[in-house]
Amino acid sequence: MADVAWKSQGRTRRSTRKVRVAVSTVTVVTVALAVLLVPPLVQLDQQAVDLSMKLRPPSFAHPFGTDDVGRDLLLRCVYGLRVSLLVGLVAALVATVIGTVVGAAAAVFGGWTDRALMRLVDTFSSVPHLLLGIFVVAMFRPGVGPVIVSVAVTHWLSTARIVRSEVLSLRARPYIDAAISGGATRWRVAVRHLLPGVLPQAGLAAVLMVPHAMWHESALSFLGLGLPTHQASLGNLVQSARGSLLAGDWWPTLFPGLFLIVPTLAVAGLAGAWRERLNPRRRSELML
C-alpha cells in the first residue's frame, strides 16, 4: 500500500510540475510578444493626456481603464513592463558576470585572494540591498542606467557564493587532478574545465535574478529614486496611483501590480523546473 501511495504522489507531483511549467511558459511567451509587438503595432502615444477621460473604469475601449490624466492604462502597463524587463535582464546579466568572475577567482586562486574576495562579499552583504541601491542611484540623475548599475552592484553576491562553492566542488574531481598532473596551467584548468562546469548554475542564478531585479527597480521607482516620473515603469505606475486608490479607484493600482507579479511568478516557475533538472537527486526525490 505504501508503494502505491508513493507512486500516486509521484504522478501527482509530476503532473503538477508539468502544468506549472506549461503555464509559466505560456505566460513568459505572452509577455515577450506583448512587449515586443504591442508598441510598434499600436500606433498610440502612451503619454497622450486626455483629461476628459480621467480615471475611467475598465471598458471595451480601455480594457484596463485610464489613469488620473486620461492615459490608457493597458498601453502604459505594457510600456512599463518593457522598461522593467529591460532593467531586470541587463542588471541580472551584469550581476551574474560580476558574481561569476569573483566567485571563480576566489575558488581558483584560493589563499589570500579567496579570503579577500569573500570578505568583500561579506562587507557588501552586511548592507541591505535596498539601502545600498538607494545610495547608488542618489549619486546620479534618475534614469535607466543608474538603476541598472544600482541593481547590478547589489545582486552579484549570491552568484559569487554559488560559483565559488561549485568551483571548489569541481576542483575535488579526479579529472581536475589528472589535468593538473598532465601539466595543465591553472588558467587552462579554469577556462577549459571549471568555468564550463559552473555555467549552468550561473545561468540559473541569472534567471532567478531577473524577477528580483524587476522588484528592486519597481521599489526604487516607487520611492521616487529610480526612473523619471514621466517615464512608464511599473513602479512609477503604482506610485502615481496611490491617490486614486484612496479615492476608491482600484484599477490604476491593480493592473500594474499584476503586470509585476504574474511575469515574475512565471519566470520563477521556469527557474524552479530548471533547478530540478540541474539537481538530479532532488528530482529523483520528487518523483518518488
Side-chain angles (χ1 to χ4, degrees), residues 82-199:
R82 195 181 194 187
V83 173
S84 297
L85 274 176
L86 172 65
V87 172
L89 290 171
V90 177
L93 179 61
V94 174
T96 301
V97 171
I98 296 174
T100 301
V101 171
V102 172
V108 170
F109 292 103
W112 67 267
T113 303
D114 184 18
R115 292 191 293 272
L117 291 177
M118 287 300 101
R119 295 299 78 76
L120 177 65
V121 171
D122 293 338
T123 301
F124 273 91
S125 300
S126 64
V127 183
H129 285 179
L130 186 58
L131 182 61
L132 184 58
I134 291 174
F135 175 77
V136 173
V137 297
M139 296 188 297
F140 305 93
R141 291 183 177 180
V144 175
V147 175
I148 291 176
V149 173
S150 169
V151 177
V153 299
T154 57
H155 286 71
W156 58 272
L157 309 172
S158 59
T159 304
R161 289 195 177 98
I162 292 171
V163 170
R164 175 180 178 272
S165 176
E166 191 69 18
V167 171
L168 289 176
S169 176
L170 292 174
R171 283 179 56 182
R173 302 290 175 84
Y175 68 89
I176 299 297
D177 294 334
I180 295 175
S181 300
T185 62
R186 181 177 296 181
W187 174 256
R188 182 177 178 84
V189 170
V191 172
R192 293 292 301 274
H193 301 288
L194 297 180
L195 283 180
V198 302
L199 286 181

Side-chain angles (χ1 to χ4, degrees), residues 27 31 64 77 81 214-215 234 238 250-266:
T27 303
V31 168
F64 286 6
C77 285
L81 180 59
M214 291 175 60
W215 281 92
L234 297 178
V238 174
W250 50 268
W251 56 93
T253 304
L254 174 64
F255 292 114
L258 290 177
F259 264 65
L260 179 62
I261 294 172
V262 173
T264 54
L265 289 178

Side-chain angles (χ1 to χ4, degrees), residues 207-283:
V207 174
L208 288 171
M209 205 180 301
V210 172
H212 197 176
M214 291 175 60
W215 281 92
H216 198 89
E217 178 273 322
S218 298
L220 290 174
S221 297
F222 182 81
L223 294 173
L225 299 170
L227 302 179
T229 55
H230 69 273
Q231 187 172 4
S233 77
L234 297 178
N236 281 341
L237 293 178
V238 174
Q239 194 277 339
S240 63
R242 289 185 303 167
S244 303
L245 182 63
L246 294 176
D249 300 322
W250 50 268
W251 56 93
T253 304
L254 174 64
F255 292 114
L258 290 177
F259 264 65
L260 179 62
I261 294 172
V262 173
T264 54
L265 289 178
V267 174
L270 292 179
W274 187 359
R275 180 168 49 199
E276 291 173 11
R277 288 184 175 274
L278 288 180
N279 193 335
R281 180 179 178 182
R282 174 178 173 82
R283 182 175 59 179

